[in-house]
Amino acid sequence: MSRRAIRAALVLAVAAACTAVGAAPAQAAGRADHCPDANGVTVVVDFKELGGGVVVRCAPGDQATGLAALKNAGFQIAGTLRWGEGFICRIEGKPSTATEKCVDTPPASAYWSYWHAPDGGSWTYSDRGVLNRKPPAGSFDGWSFSFNRSADNAPRPAVAPNRPAPPPRTTPPAPPPPRTSAPAPPPPAPAPPPPGAPPPVVPPPAAGAPGAPGVVAPTGVDGTPAAPAPVAPTDDASGPPPDVPPTGSVVPPPGAAPAPPTDPTGSLPPVEVTGARDGDGLPLGTLAGVFLLVALVGGGVLAARRRRTAEPDD
């Protein structure tokens, strides 16, 4: 085989190796944004002039080397054909294969600079390779593309190495009180009577009850009043029991005309004149009897005097 053929084969082999290294996938997906706590390493990649902005991802858990943190954060990387992944040549396909072949060490005017920082600290340029440094848990690793800069003024990542504070814990809302049965609604008010309706009729009290217009007392066959019904004694020591009018006689209310007595035989008996009481005075019938008695006595006296006058003197 000629020297020209050998050289062509070597070029093709180098190109294939660079392509294979550039297409090597990341070993871990990681997760976007900062690590929420100290359990992991936050990796910041600033593309600078290459375009692509700044990407922040988290490599959870313990990281053995800076290379492991870069891969476990989910970034795709490519090393050099000569040094392998010990020298980072390409991150997320940048710089492109047309610009950088990644056969040997990239030039000092265009390369990925490596940085590190504690949480809340400041970025420090790393003078060690990615395989010679173990990032502490909760720290930051940074990568920034340096274009036409020297090692003394290489640009640091644009994002400060500060892990955001966790959101404040909120107190869960108190559970609602247990539901209780609603109280029964009040009964509806009676509807008012319609305009012009007559007033309600109140029944009169029963006979013999307080407020009745009259009390009926029992009478005998001949119309004479019967003996009053016995009244049960009471415990009231203030005085004798109240007078109970004999049942069968009608005591008319004030202003009412007296009703004639009735007899079971159908004939009207002689009317018995009874006197009405006025306070504690004597009845009218008793007064009439007294007057009659006085009249009889007076008549007898007068007759005796006349008889004495008519007799001759002896």
Side-chain angles (χ1 to χ4, degrees), residues 101-181:
K101 302 298 182 184
C102 294
V103 176
D104 205 344
T105 304
S109 60
Y111 71 102
W112 283 102
S113 59
Y114 179 37
W115 303 78
H116 60 83
D119 180 33
S122 58
W123 291 111
T124 301
Y125 186 87
S126 177
D127 54 0
R128 299 181 182 181
V130 292
L131 295 177
N132 300 323
R133 181 179 178 277
K134 175 179 174 60
S139 65
F140 282 70
D141 264 20
W143 295 88
S144 178
F145 192 77
S146 178
F147 183 70
N148 293 332
R149 306 285 183 92
S150 64
D152 297 333
N153 62 355
R156 64 191 63 199
V159 174
N162 296 322
R163 188 167 57 245
R169 293 183 178 181
T170 57
T171 304
R179 298 183 62 183
T180 58
S181 58

Side-chain angles (χ1 to χ4, degrees), residues 155-277:
R156 64 191 63 199
V159 174
N162 296 322
R163 188 167 57 245
R169 293 183 178 181
T170 57
T171 304
R179 298 183 62 183
T180 58
S181 58
V201 178
V202 179
V215 179
V216 178
T219 58
V221 178
D222 56 354
T224 60
V231 179
T234 61
D235 296 334
D236 188 3
S238 59
D243 294 336
V244 179
T247 58
S249 63
V250 178
V251 180
T262 58
D263 185 75
T265 60
S267 61
L268 292 178
V271 178
E272 179 181 0
V273 178
T274 60
R277 291 188 179 184

Side-chain angles (χ1 to χ4, degrees), residues 45-56 75 91-92 94 112:
V45 176
D46 190 348
F47 290 91
K48 297 296 182 181
E49 290 85 359
L50 297 177
V54 182
V55 180
V56 181
F75 291 99
I91 300 177
E92 293 294 317
K94 296 181 179 183
W112 283 102

